Amino acid sequence: MGAESQKIVFGMPLPAEKDAQRGSRKPRLDKAERDQMIFQTIHVDTLIPEDHPARAIWEFVGKMDLTSLYLKINAVEGTAGRSATDPHTLISLWIYAYSQGISSAREMEKLCEYHPAFQWLTGMKVINHHTLSDFRIGNKEALDGLFTQTLGLLSAENLITLERVMHDGTKIKANAGADSFRTEERIQAHLKMAKAHLESMGDPTETPSDDRARKARERAAHERKERLETALRELEKIRAHKPDEEAMRKARASQTDPEARIMKQSNGGYGPSYNVQISTDRANGVIVGVEATQEANDCGRLLPAVEKIQENTGCLPKQMVADGGYTNRQNILAMDEKGVEFIGSMPDVSKTTLAQFARRGIDPAFYPGSFRYNPKRNTYTCPAGKVLTYAGKAKRHGLTEYHYRANDNDCAACAFKEKCCPQSPKKGRCVVRTENHSVVHAFITKMNTPEAKEIYRQRGPTAEFPNAWIKEKMKLRQFRLRGLRKIGMECVWACLTYNIQSWIRLRWSPPGLSSVMC
Ligand code: SF4
């Protein structure tokens, strides 16, 4: 290296006097030394700051009654064996993990090794992913109990009023691919192969083995056989909803997650999913009810949602607000019977009705609007001046249909027959007059008022926020687990986390910081 180039360090010229002092000496650097053993002193409690959310989660879980979980532990004082991991720790770990968008037990095990918040929660212990995983899915009743207790604690802090509850559903992808759906023929063929494979492994009771890899293979083969058997059972349920023989024959079920159903996603595409129903209290955005279902359609889930809220809180909501997917006559009557005021948006079915007339080949000039009703005589007069007389009524949910029919001979001889009733060669034209149930009529009148419209406008921000939070922040766009029971538990874990995060945001003040503020 030349003398001129030595004067340039990182492209900057050295001051002349500094250059003179250094001479040819090299800079002394504190380099990373990795070939060494060191001992470190750590005060575990100072691993995270006073206002860290892990402390808040620990504090909140500490307020819960975990007796049912402690009673399940076999290891007791005075006996030999390994101690069980404290449920307080396991619950806090899962809540913290979900709040960080982590739902993998293996990832949590790794984080326990170096992540300060996980180390603080476990007291610097590494918890095996099997322990974490088993705890997440092995305590359904206790988990439901924790959700209920959380609502009780939030209610005690005046964070729940149940004055107005917004309800909505969201589709979450199942842990299965669209290509895992098979017809009965294919599932039967795969089941046959799975059984043959199991038989080829021999009877494990006759040939006991300590080989862990072999045991894992046997367990996997058993699980595959059970999944295929479940797929056949689920296929029968899917077929029960098919309209005809051809559709039943073509019906398919997933071999990976047999309980998943093909549903329309928010992006317009279709895929294996579950429909997650969430009820949110308007006062502070606390989730008061959650349920995962296989039903793609929302309309049948409003009443179960109200019953779930009652089960969780012991009270019925005063008012339930839901979108057009839930607003039908059946639900309006059901809410009225329950004593819950319903605010919804009645879908406009006029376009569907007109499309039906068009499909039947009826000319627009002969749609029911062109027939004149005479209330005194209870008859209709058609555009050709003929009278349609009352022919009977049919009652449906919240609706009575009155049928009126023209004389067969009048229509047969009519010049407009091809335009008026082209699909009824022998019978006279029929017109239906509908009359809403008084409760439905009152609902429609109410929903035309500015007050009701204003309440309905609040629905979107309140009801859709938890759905978006769970999908975006907790990254629960796709379930990690499989089967309705397990994904239902994933939903409860996510909503439990959401509610505790709400408590942290609205009520928690770190003990150290609050005393400083005082
Ligand atoms: S087809 Fe029958 S109902 Fe229709 S316009 Fe003619 S008479 Fe009237």
Side-chain angles (χ1 to χ4, degrees), residues 327-457:
T327 314
N328 57 27
R329 291 179 175 83
Q330 203 167 343
N331 281 336
I332 293 167
L333 291 181
M335 290 299 105
D336 183 66
E337 252 176 55
K338 274 271 174 197
V340 177
E341 190 193 356
F342 182 41
I343 299 285
S345 165
M346 201 72 157
D348 181 8
V349 293
S350 57
K351 279 186 186 167
T352 323
T353 314
L354 293 181
Q356 282 173 356
F357 288 126
R359 270 201 301 277
R360 282 156 57 189
I362 297 172
D363 189 284
F366 294 87
Y367 284 176
S370 308
F371 288 65
R372 211 162 10 90
Y373 180 60
N374 185 336
K376 276 188 185 166
R377 293 171 179 245
N378 193 25
T379 56
Y380 271 93
T381 305
C382 75
K386 301 292 180 188
V387 174
L388 284 77
T389 53
Y390 176 67
K393 66 178 178 181
K395 279 203 170 189
R396 291 202 280 153
H397 283 290
L399 183 80
T400 308
E401 289 180 343
Y402 297 92
H403 295 246
Y404 299 83
R405 192 171 285 282
N407 184 290
D408 298 349
N409 295 332
D410 283 346
C411 290
C414 180
F416 304 118
K417 180 156 177 60
E418 276 309 303
K419 289 184 174 183
C420 183
C421 46
Q423 290 185 352
S424 307
K426 290 181 183 168
K427 284 199 161 190
R429 169 75 189 264
C430 181
V431 168
V432 178
R433 180 171 64 86
T434 56
E435 214 172 75
N436 279 320
H437 189 285
S438 58
V439 172
V440 178
H441 182 72
F443 171 85
I444 293 170
T445 309
K446 176 181 71 182
M447 285 314 301
N448 282 325
T449 63
E451 295 79 24
K453 285 179 181 169
E454 175 52 33
I455 294 170
Y456 186 74
R457 270 196 287 275

Side-chain angles (χ1 to χ4, degrees), residues 17-294:
E17 64 277 18
K18 192 92 178 172
D19 193 23
Q21 283 172 14
R22 289 169 62 101
S24 60
R25 288 175 296 176
K26 288 182 181 174
R28 197 175 65 248
L29 300 173
D30 187 5
K31 289 190 174 181
E33 176 54 72
R34 297 192 179 91
D35 188 18
Q36 61 170 329
M37 303 286 284
I38 58 164
F39 293 96
Q40 225 178 353
T41 311
I42 296 172
H43 182 212
V44 180
D45 198 36
T46 56
L47 278 170
I48 54 174
E50 287 289 325
D51 59 348
H52 196 282
R55 289 181 188 271
I57 291 168
W58 182 262
E59 184 185 321
F60 191 91
V61 176
K63 294 178 186 199
M64 294 185 188
D65 179 4
L66 308 181
T67 310
S68 65
L69 289 164
Y70 288 125
L71 286 174
K72 287 173 90 175
I73 295 170
N74 292 326
V76 290
E77 287 175 4
T79 58
R82 203 170 161 182
S83 302
T85 309
D86 188 352
H88 188 168
T89 307
L90 292 167
I91 296 166
S92 304
L93 272 175
W94 272 115
I95 300 286
Y96 183 70
Y98 271 105
S99 74
Q100 301 302 302
I102 298 161
S103 58
S104 157
R106 284 177 194 273
E107 190 179 347
M108 286 167 70
E109 182 183 333
K110 281 203 187 91
L111 288 166
C112 287
E113 290 172 7
Y114 64 86
H115 192 289
F118 282 82
Q119 287 180 318
W120 185 88
L121 284 168
T122 61
M124 299 290 287
K125 290 191 183 86
V126 175
I127 299 182
N128 182 283
H129 66 268
H130 287 300
T131 306
L132 288 163
S133 191
D134 291 348
F135 184 81
R136 173 165 60 169
I137 57 166
N139 300 287
K140 183 171 185 332
E141 287 72 29
L143 179 62
D144 290 340
L146 292 181
F147 188 76
T148 309
Q149 282 192 57
T150 302
L151 295 184
L153 290 166
L154 297 179
S155 181
E157 299 209 27
N158 298 321
L159 291 174
I160 298 173
T161 64
L162 295 185
E163 290 286 322
R164 184 171 295 158
V165 172
M166 311 293 196
H167 185 78
D168 198 14
T170 185
K171 310 288 189 311
I172 296 184
K173 282 184 191 165
N175 191 352
D179 56 357
S180 69
F181 280 70
R182 298 277 188 275
T183 58
E184 183 182 359
E185 204 180 8
R186 295 287 298 277
I187 298 171
Q188 289 284 16
H190 288 163
L191 181 60
K192 201 175 164 187
M193 282 194 281
K195 283 178 178 171
H197 179 56
L198 255 179
E199 275 173 26
S200 71
M201 288 179 142
D203 186 350
T205 55
E206 284 178 12
T207 53
S209 167
D210 290 334
D211 183 353
R212 287 179 66 185
R214 183 187 162 156
K215 280 186 176 172
R217 281 198 300 275
E218 282 171 357
R219 197 168 53 243
H222 268 289
E223 283 171 1
R224 176 160 172 75
K225 179 180 149 279
E226 279 165 18
R227 258 204 319 275
L228 290 165
E229 286 168 346
T230 310
L232 286 173
R233 285 196 296 275
E234 289 298 317
L235 192 58
E236 286 309 309
K237 291 185 199 170
I238 293 168
R239 279 179 172 158
H241 294 97
K242 296 293 177 189
D244 53 49
E245 283 284 320
E246 180 63 8
M248 284 168 78
R249 195 181 58 76
K250 285 183 177 172
R252 297 177 304 154
S254 170
Q255 294 190 149
T256 312
D257 184 353
E259 290 178 293
R261 297 287 185 268
I262 297 286
M263 294 181 192
K264 191 174 184 181
Q265 307 286 320
S266 52
N267 61 8
Y270 286 83
S273 313
Y274 289 94
N275 186 357
V276 179
Q277 301 285 311
I278 295 177
S279 308
T280 310
D281 189 61
R282 162 78 181 154
N284 288 291
V286 172
I287 295 174
V288 288
V290 56
E291 186 204 18
T293 80
Q294 294 170 292

